[in-house]
Amino acid sequence: MSGLLGSRTCPGPGETSDLKFPLGAKFREPLTETRFQQLFGDAEQEPEPLAEPRWSRLRGLWRRRAGACSGQGAWRLLLARLPPLRWLPRYRWRAWLLGDAVAGVTVGIVHVPQGMAFALLTSVPPVFGLYTSFFPVLIYTLLGTGRHLSTGTFAVLSLMTGSAVERLVPEPLEGNLSGIEREQLDAQRVGAAAAVAFGSGALMLGMFALQLGILATFLSEPVVKALTSGAALHVLVSQLPSLLGLPLPRQIGCFALFKTLAAVLTALPRSSPAELTISALSLALLVPVKELNVRFRDKLPTPIPGEIVMVLLASVLCFTSSLDTRYNVQIVGLLPGGFPQPLLPSLAELPRILADSLPMALVTFAVSTSLASIYADKYSYTIDSNQELLAHGVSNLVSSLFSCFPNSATLATTSLLVDAGGNTQLAGLFSCLVVLSVLLWLGPFFYYLPKAVLACINISSMRQMFFQMQELPQLWRISRVDFAVWMVTWVAVVTLSVDLGLAVGVVFSMMTVVCRTQRWDFLPRVRCLALGLAEGTELYRPLRESHKLLQVPGLRILSYPTPLYFGTRGQFRRILEWHLRLGEGGQLTPKTDSPPDAVAEPVRVVVLDCSGVTFADAAGAREVVQLASRCRDAGIHFLLAQCNASVLGTLTQAGLLDRVTPEQLFVSVQDAAAYALERLVRRQSSLVQRLAQCGSDQVTQIVEGPNSACVKRTMAPVPPYLM
C-alpha cells in the first residue's frame, strides 16, 4: 500500500478536502486493466494457449497421457492408485501395530452380529452380511485413502437395497413356502442385491473415470444428516415385526413407514411373547452398554463388545431352552462355511436396477467422503475424493461377484475404530481375520441365534443417527435455511422413501441456493450495495454500515456481490435502474443505503464493483452491455472495476467493448474511484467557470441543454470538499 497512499493525512477539524482527494488519501495513478497487463502481465506467453487449435491441445494431452506409460509414469500412477505403497513404508510398527490390531479385532467382533443383522434389512440370509463385512473391507484397505475409515454393511444402504430387492423379487402371495421354494426365493433375492451392488459400483467407477469427485459437494451436510436420521426411523419401524415375532410382509414404496405401523398395530394381538421377551432383554442390555461406551470412551481401554456378548448369551439360552421348537422362535440357522463361488450378476437386471443404484452410489460416496474428511481434518492428513470413488466403486463391483450387497463406510464402526486406537488402514486386515474365522470355523456357534436379537442390534446401532436431531436448535441459530433443508429432507425421507427423500433434499437444497440470489423476503438475500469511502483511507465499505462513510455527490459506487446469470439478470436490471434512475426503474422504492442528500444529486459517474460476480452467463453479460449503453445515452460515465478474467472474457465476447473503451475497465474499486474523482474535478472546474460567467451569487447547478444554454436552479450549499 505504500505506493497507493501519499504523505497527506486526514484533514483536521475545520479543514476541507478538495474533490480530487476528498479525505486526504492521495492515490497513485489509476490503473486500468489494459495498463495493468502492460506493466505486470505476461503478454507474450498468455495469448498462445488461447490461440492454439483444439486438436493441438488434445494432441498435447494425449502425449502427456502417453508419457505416463514410461517407467516413472507407471510408478507414479501405481503410487496414486495403491495408497499402501505410500503409507506402508512409513508405518510406525512399534507405535501403531498394537493399536491397529486391537481396533481391528474390536471392529471385527462388531461386524459379525451387525453384518448378519443388516442382512435381514436387505432381505437376504444372514451369511451374506458376513460376506459383505469381509470382501469390501479387504478391498478398501488396499485402495482407500481414509486411514480411520471402517467400511462394510451400512443400515441406510441395507434398507434401500432391501426395498429394491422386495420390489424386484416380491414374496409370493400364498406364503407358507416349502424349504426348496424358500431357497429359490433367497437365491433370487441374493442375485438382485448383488446386481444392485454391481450397478452402484459401475456408476462410481464411471464417476471416477470422469473425475466427478466434486459431486459430493451437492449433498450438503444437512441433507446427509437428515437422510441418515430419517432412514434410522425407517429401520426402527421395519424391525418391529421381528421384535414382536410377527410374520408380516415388508412394505415398500411411498408411505411404507406408515403402512408398516398400521400392519403392526393390526397384528399386535398375534405377537409372540417369547420373542417379545427376548427383544426386551436384548435392548435392556444393548442400550446401556452403548451409553457406557460413549460416556466412558476415554477411560475404557477398549469399548465393551455388547453385541457379541448378547449374541453369545442369546444363542446359549435358545439352545438350552429349545426356544425354536417349543415357542417357534425364529433363529438364524446354519451358516454355510467358506466362500460362495464367484458369479457375475445377471446383466439383464441392470436396466431395472439402475434407478436404485444411482441414489445408493451417491449416498455411498457422500457418507464415506464426509466421514473420511472429518477424521482426516482431525488427524491432519488429506484424502483424495476421486480415489475414494475408485475404492468404493471397486469394492462394490468386485464384492458383488461374491454375492455381496451394497456397502460403504459406517458411522458406528468408524467411531468404534477410532476409540479403540486405530491408526491406519491396516486395522481393516485384522477385522477381516475375525470375520474370516467365523466364516471358516465359528459359523455353527450362531445356529441358535434368535433373529429378534439381530433386530435389536439393528435398532441399537441407530443411536448416533437418532441423536443427530439434537443439533437442530444450534442449526436454527446458525442458519435457518439449512434448518429448512434438514427438515424438508427428513420429512420427505420419512413420509415418502429414502431414495425419493434424497432427491427431494438435493433439489430443495439447490433451490435455496438459487432463491438466495433472488428477491425472496423469507430468505437472506444478497443486495446491490452502495459503497462509501472511509475517511483517511482508500477503503470502500457499504454506506449502511456506518454514517461516517462518505459518498461524493455525482459519483455512485455500486457492488453487486452475486453471480450474474439468467436467474438474476432481472433483479440486476431493476436495482441498477433504481440506483441510477434510468427509465421506469426510478419509480421503484426499495430500501436505499444512501443518505438523502446523495439521493437527490444526479449521477454523473457510476462504478460497478464486480469483485463479487463469480461468473456470468450470456444473458447476464448482455444485461451489463445494455446497462452500459443506457448509461451512455443518459450521460452517465460507466466504469467497471475488479472483474475476474472469466467474467471479463464473457463480457467482452458479449460486445462490452463496443459500448465502453478499455480505459473504463479498472483493476480495483480504488482505481476506478480515483479516476472518477478526477473526472468530477474537471467537470466541477468547468461548472465554476460557467457560474462566474452567469454572475450568480448563490451556488447553482447548470444543466447543459441541447443549445448549451445556462439554466439556473437554487440548491442547498455545496459541501466544502466540493469547493
Side-chain angles (χ1 to χ4, degrees):
M1 287 291 179
S2 59
L4 182 66
L5 297 175
S7 59
R8 295 190 57 184
T9 59
C10 199
E15 298 183 13
T16 59
S17 302
D18 56 20
L19 178 60
K20 185 175 180 180
F21 311 111
L23 299 177
K26 187 173 182 179
F27 292 97
R28 50 160 168 74
E29 175 189 359
L31 286 178
T32 62
E33 289 283 353
T34 304
R35 181 59 176 162
F36 183 85
Q37 290 297 324
Q38 292 174 353
L39 293 176
F40 305 103
D42 193 353
E44 296 182 358
Q45 297 182 2
E46 188 66 23
E48 291 181 0
L50 299 177
E52 186 180 3
R54 182 179 297 273
W55 64 270
S56 298
R57 297 199 300 273
L58 293 176
R59 184 174 58 185
L61 179 61
W62 173 258
R63 287 176 178 174
R64 290 193 295 272
R65 294 288 186 184
C69 296
S70 63
Q72 292 183 350
W75 177 246
R76 287 195 299 268
L77 181 62
L78 200 60
L79 287 176
R81 298 297 167 244
L82 287 177
L85 295 178
R86 298 197 305 269
W87 59 262
L88 198 56
R90 299 192 298 268
Y91 189 83
R92 302 176 186 175
W93 294 95
R94 293 185 178 180
W96 291 349
L97 183 59
L98 181 60
D100 282 340
V102 172
V105 171
T106 304
V107 171
I109 291 173
V110 174
H111 267 315
V112 172
Q114 272 196 3
M116 293 189 291
F118 290 161
L120 297 183
L121 280 178
T122 316
S123 299
V124 297
V127 69
F128 294 95
L130 296 180
Y131 299 151
T132 310
S133 300
F134 177 79
F135 290 104
V137 177
L138 184 62
I139 295 172
Y140 186 82
T141 301
L142 300 176
L143 297 177
T145 59
R147 287 167 42 187
H148 299 84
L149 206 63
S150 174
T151 59
T153 55
F154 183 38
V156 176
L157 286 181
S158 298
L159 182 70
M160 297 172 70
T161 306
S163 299
V165 168
E166 292 281 350
R167 190 186 72 253
L168 295 172
V169 188
E171 185 90 16
L173 296 178
E174 60 273 10
N176 297 324
L177 300 178
S178 64
I180 297 178
E181 291 174 337
R182 173 60 62 182
E183 290 181 1
Q184 293 176 348
L185 179 66
D186 288 342
Q188 293 178 1
R189 289 184 168 182
V190 168
V196 173
F198 185 91
S200 178
L203 287 173
M204 282 188 280
L205 287 180
M207 293 165 62
F208 164 75
L210 298 175
Q211 299 291 287
L212 295 180
I214 192 65
L215 287 179
T217 58
F218 292 102
L219 289 178
S220 62
E221 182 179 345
V223 171
V224 173
K225 289 189 174 182
L227 173 73
T228 54
S229 182
L233 190 58
H234 275 279
V235 172
L236 171 63
V237 173
S238 68
Q239 295 304 294
L240 289 179
S242 298
L243 292 178
L244 302 174
L246 297 173
L248 298 176
R250 184 167 180 170
Q251 302 292 334
I252 59 175
C254 296
F255 311 107
L257 185 144
F258 304 103
K259 295 177 183 177
T260 304
L261 283 177
V264 168
L265 291 176
T266 303
L268 192 59
R270 304 198 308 269
S271 59
S272 170
E275 297 200 63
L276 181 59
T277 303
I278 293 174
S279 301
L281 293 176
S282 299
L283 289 176
L285 174 65
L286 291 173
V287 173
V289 168
K290 290 278 187 181
E291 192 66 26
L292 288 174
N293 285 335
V294 173
R295 290 181 178 271
F296 301 101
R297 66 173 61 185
D298 297 330
K299 298 180 180 180
L300 293 173
T302 183
I304 303 173
E307 290 88 350
I308 198 66
V309 172
M310 189 66 247
V311 165
L312 295 177
L313 290 177
S315 299
V316 171
L317 178 64
C318 184
F319 172 72
T320 55
S321 303
S322 301
L323 297 180
D324 56 324
T325 56
R326 295 173 60 185
Y327 300 102
N328 198 26
V329 172
Q330 298 294 315
I331 59 175
V332 169
L334 180 64
L335 293 179
F339 297 104
Q341 292 292 331
L343 180 65
L344 183 68
S346 176
L347 299 181
E349 297 288 338
L350 288 181
R352 299 174 59 193
I353 55 90
L354 280 179
D356 300 296
S357 298
L358 180 58
M360 292 185 200
L362 294 177
V363 170
T364 298
F365 179 53
V367 172
S368 301
T369 304
S370 61
L371 199 58
S373 299
I374 291 173
Y375 288 100
D377 294 339
K378 182 177 180 179
Y379 292 98
S380 302
Y381 63 91
T382 59
I383 64 166
D384 184 351
S385 59
N386 285 304
Q387 179 67 20
E388 289 295 299
L389 271 176
L390 175 66
H392 291 288
V394 173
S395 176
N396 279 271
L397 189 68
V398 174
S399 63
S400 69
L401 305 180
F402 295 91
S403 303
C404 297
F405 49 86
N407 56 87
S408 73
T410 62
L411 282 72
T413 55
T414 297
S415 177
L416 182 64
L417 179 72
V418 175
D419 293 340
N423 298 290
T424 66
Q425 296 94 317
L426 194 62
L429 293 181
F430 293 97
S431 173
C432 290
L433 290 177
V434 174
V435 179
L436 180 63
S437 64
V438 174
L439 288 172
L440 296 181
W441 304 294
L442 304 179
F445 289 97
F446 299 97
Y447 183 93
Y448 289 98
L449 175 63
K451 289 186 177 181
V453 175
L454 297 180
C456 294
I457 293 175
N458 278 332
I459 294 174
S460 64
S461 65
M462 298 293 104
R463 177 189 179 279
Q464 281 183 300
M465 300 184 189
F466 282 126
F467 280 8
Q468 289 178 146
M469 302 188 72
Q470 294 179 342
E471 302 175 5
L472 286 179
Q474 182 184 13
L475 190 62
W476 172 266
R477 293 190 297 269
I478 296 175
S479 173
R480 297 186 180 182
V481 175
D482 287 344
F483 179 87
V485 171
W486 202 104
M487 291 303 302
V488 168
T489 306
W490 187 85
V491 171
V493 168
V494 170
T495 57
L496 301 178
S497 62
V498 177
D499 49 355
L500 289 179
L502 173 63
V504 171
V506 171
V507 172
F508 184 79
S509 176
M510 301 199 61
M511 285 299 299
T512 60
V513 176
V514 175
C515 292
R516 273 184 272 195
T517 64
Q518 307 298 313
R519 293 181 58 84
W520 288 37
D521 292 334
F522 64 90
L523 289 175
R525 63 180 183 270
V526 182
R527 301 172 183 266
C528 183
L529 303 174
L531 305 183
L533 183 63
E535 188 172 354
T537 72
E538 79 286 0
L539 302 177
Y540 286 85
R541 290 292 183 266
L543 289 171
R544 65 181 183 180
E545 291 184 0
S546 174
H547 65 279
K548 297 181 180 180
L549 297 174
L550 173 66
Q551 184 180 23
V552 178
L555 171 62
R556 185 62 57 88
I557 304 176
L558 302 175
S559 176
Y560 191 73
T562 189
L564 186 55
Y565 63 104
F566 67 92
T568 59
R569 63 173 183 170
Q571 174 190 354
F572 174 81
R573 179 175 61 252
R574 290 191 297 270
I575 292 179
L576 269 294
E577 282 178 347
W578 182 85
H579 275 287
L580 303 178
R581 292 186 286 282
L582 298 173
E584 298 179 357
Q587 304 300 322
L588 300 176
T589 57
K591 185 177 179 180
T592 178
D593 300 322
S594 307
D597 294 340
V599 173
E601 179 70 20
V603 179
R604 302 300 180 187
V605 183
V606 59
V607 177
L608 183 59
D609 176 18
C610 298
S611 60
V613 182
T614 54
F615 73 91
D617 66 357
R622 283 194 293 267
E623 203 64 50
V624 176
V625 174
Q626 293 176 7
L627 175 66
S629 180
R630 296 180 65 184
C631 287
R632 184 182 60 184
D633 296 340
I636 300 175
H637 199 59
F638 182 74
L639 305 177
L640 280 179
Q642 211 164 335
C643 289
N644 64 53
S646 174
V647 173
L648 189 57
T650 304
L651 295 177
T652 302
Q653 293 295 327
L656 178 65
L657 294 182
D658 296 334
R659 304 293 190 275
V660 301
T661 64
E663 285 71 25
Q664 293 173 252
L665 309 177
F666 291 87
V667 297
S668 69
V669 174
Q670 290 83 358
D671 290 279
Y675 172 83
L677 291 173
E678 291 178 356
R679 183 178 179 88
L680 288 177
V681 165
R682 292 193 296 269
R683 177 180 176 82
Q684 184 71 16
S685 300
S686 175
L687 290 177
V688 170
Q689 292 177 2
R690 299 189 61 187
L691 282 172
Q693 294 175 1
C694 292
S696 174
D697 295 330
Q698 293 181 319
V699 178
T700 59
Q701 179 184 19
I702 297 180
V703 180
E704 299 183 14
N707 300 321
S708 299
C710 292
V711 181
K712 301 179 182 179
R713 189 190 334 168
T714 303
M715 294 182 57
V718 176
Y721 52 78
L722 290 181
M723 299 301 293

